[in-house]
Amino acid sequence: MYDIVTIGSATIDTFIECDDANIVAVNTKNFKNEFMAYPYGAKIEIDGFKTAVGGGGINAAVNLANLGLKTSAVFKIGKDFLGRTIKEKISCENVDLSNVIVSEREQSGFSIILVSFEGNRTVLAHRGTNGTIKESEINFDAIKNAKWLYIAPLNGESGQVLDLISKFAEEHNVNTTINPGSSSLKKGLRYFENILKTAEIVVMNKEEASLVTKVEVRPDTKEVRYSDELIHPDIIIMLNKLKNMGAKIVIITDGKNGVYAADGKKYYKCPEFPAKVVSTLGAGDALSSTFTAAIQYTDWDVEKSLKMASVNAASVVSHFGAQEGFLTFEEIEKRLAESPCYRVETIDAV
């Protein structure tokens, strides 16, 4: 029996660091967006690059194994150089690979990550085999015999198995964490209604939550300063909409602004744990998988689990690579003990 089975993507990631990237902000009365820009037609010198194994499913699996959970990973690779490299790297991480799917003809996933001087990134992704996972390729017995199932983003055709595996886990009393992908989220909240009912934990970032709930976070105006509130009222609306679908705990991440959560009793705001940001890639995977492990470790203490997840995510963003910087529970506890002023603020649910 496994403590947890993860399912999601596996890629070879190439990080490209360039301090000449321009961050262009576009603002309207009710909308704000930022773009990473380079001079069109120019030849740009880069400041460094690195290649690593990544992908939401693998990132979570390696982190969970490092935290001491007996972990098996379900992901799909090609019988190519990329696929062999992925499997060889993960074979050293104490993750069971007996449930990996290997395609004879398809190409493995690959991505290029453009990193700005701020540490934020834009990802150019080729899904490859990550987008073609089929029901017939999944070992459902592994899921049935696990305590937890962690579902990382499943995009493309792979998103079609999300409903099946979440329902299967529910029928066999397997706890589930769902970190949905953009392709699935575009289908809207109605599509997720049955899926969310099966989940113990649902995690998504603010942009994803806005996409699925159709709630836009309003900026401050001359008349109203939403930023003075502990939690923006539109974030609370998002949390309520998602929580009302049936998930036990809903988490919305918001970059530098920290993490918000709701469990039906309280709303939580956990600030970002201090760290020197090198790359934000993998921060979400680290946070959601650490929270999943911590909620078991702390016997469902949401407040402490948020802090532990934020500490581990901060360690990851301090490194180049989505699987670098993972901490053990002992190391996380030590960092929290060294930061006694770091705390989560709460509001009673209404």
Side-chain angles (χ1 to χ4, degrees):
M1 176 180 282
Y2 302 112
D3 292 321
I4 193 162
V5 171
T6 69
I7 181 168
S9 61
T11 68
I12 294 291
D13 295 332
T14 298
F15 297 82
I16 297 177
E17 190 175 17
C18 182
D19 290 343
D20 289 336
N22 296 296
I23 310 302
V24 179
V26 177
N27 299 314
T28 66
K29 182 179 180 181
N30 297 310
F31 179 80
K32 179 180 180 181
N33 209 344
E34 292 183 328
F35 301 86
M36 190 182 299
Y38 299 90
Y40 184 67
K43 183 176 181 180
I44 309 296
E45 295 287 337
I46 65 173
D47 296 287
F49 77 96
K50 181 176 181 178
T51 300
V53 172
I58 280 187
N59 294 340
V62 173
N63 182 38
L64 290 161
N66 187 66
L67 288 167
L69 279 71
K70 186 178 180 182
T71 306
S72 184
V74 179
F75 56 85
K76 188 174 181 179
I77 53 176
K79 209 169 188 178
D80 52 15
F81 173 75
L82 297 176
R84 290 193 301 272
T85 303
I86 290 169
K87 198 167 183 179
E88 182 180 350
K89 170 64 169 66
I90 301 306
S91 66
C92 304
E93 300 292 349
N94 203 30
V95 175
D96 174 73
L97 299 179
S98 62
N99 297 302
V100 173
I101 306 159
V102 181
S103 171
E104 294 287 338
R105 290 173 291 184
E106 296 171 289
Q107 188 179 39
S108 302
F110 177 78
S111 65
I112 298 172
I113 297 96
L114 305 174
V115 184
S116 77
F117 60 89
E118 294 179 325
N120 288 324
R121 78 287 188 273
T122 294
V123 181
L124 308 177
H126 169 65
R127 288 182 184 146
T129 47
N130 294 313
T132 64
I133 297 174
K134 300 175 181 62
E135 177 185 1
S136 61
E137 297 173 324
I138 299 171
N139 181 2
F140 281 87
D141 283 340
I143 296 173
K144 182 173 67 175
N145 293 316
K147 298 175 184 176
W148 279 78
L149 172 66
Y150 179 98
I151 306 174
L154 293 168
N155 295 310
E157 295 175 23
S158 299
Q160 296 174 15
V161 304
L162 177 57
D163 194 15
L164 294 168
I165 58 176
S166 60
K167 183 178 179 181
F168 180 86
E170 175 74 3
E171 290 172 347
H172 291 86
N173 298 314
V174 178
N175 293 321
T176 304
T177 293
I178 299 177
N179 183 6
S182 57
S183 294
S184 300
L185 289 171
K186 288 176 182 177
K187 297 180 181 180
L189 195 57
R190 181 173 296 179
Y191 169 77
F192 271 102
E193 185 171 357
N194 290 330
I195 295 171
L196 294 179
K197 286 179 182 177
T198 70
E200 273 63 43
I201 302 167
V202 175
V203 186
M204 59 186 75
N205 64 36
K206 184 180 70 175
E207 291 72 27
E208 291 166 340
S210 178
L211 176 66
V212 72
T213 62
K214 308 301 180 186
V215 176
E216 294 286 344
V217 177
R218 293 163 291 178
D220 287 347
T221 66
K222 293 180 179 178
E223 293 77 26
V224 183
R225 285 187 54 84
Y226 301 108
S227 58
D228 289 340
E229 301 289 334
L230 177 62
I231 302 176
H232 194 295
D234 294 330
I235 297 288
I236 290 179
I237 292 172
M238 289 180 187
L239 290 168
N240 286 341
K241 280 196 169 189
L242 294 169
K243 183 72 183 67
N244 289 341
M245 292 297 100
K248 290 184 180 178
I249 301 171
V250 175
I251 296 173
I252 297 176
T253 64
D254 190 17
K256 296 178 181 178
N257 295 318
V259 182
Y260 311 100
D263 62 1
K265 300 175 183 178
K266 294 180 180 179
Y267 302 111
Y268 303 81
K269 182 179 180 180
C270 181
E272 184 181 49
F273 193 77
K276 180 181 178 181
V277 178
V278 174
S279 170
T280 58
L281 190 73
D285 298 329
L287 188 137
S288 54
S289 56
T290 303
F291 183 87
T292 301
I295 207 72
Q296 303 168 65
Y297 179 82
T298 65
D299 193 23
W300 291 83
D301 185 329
V302 175
E303 186 172 328
K304 185 169 183 179
S305 296
L306 284 171
K307 290 196 291 186
M308 299 185 91
S310 296
V311 168
N312 211 7
S315 181
V316 169
V317 302
S318 301
H319 296 77
F320 230 168
Q323 293 173 29
E324 297 183 22
F326 287 146
L327 303 172
T328 64
F329 277 128
E330 183 180 358
E331 291 168 330
I332 292 171
E333 293 271 27
K334 183 174 184 293
R335 294 198 182 186
L336 285 174
E338 292 169 349
S339 305
C341 295
Y342 181 69
R343 63 189 183 94
V344 173
E345 296 183 272
T346 63
I347 304 172
D348 289 337
V350 292

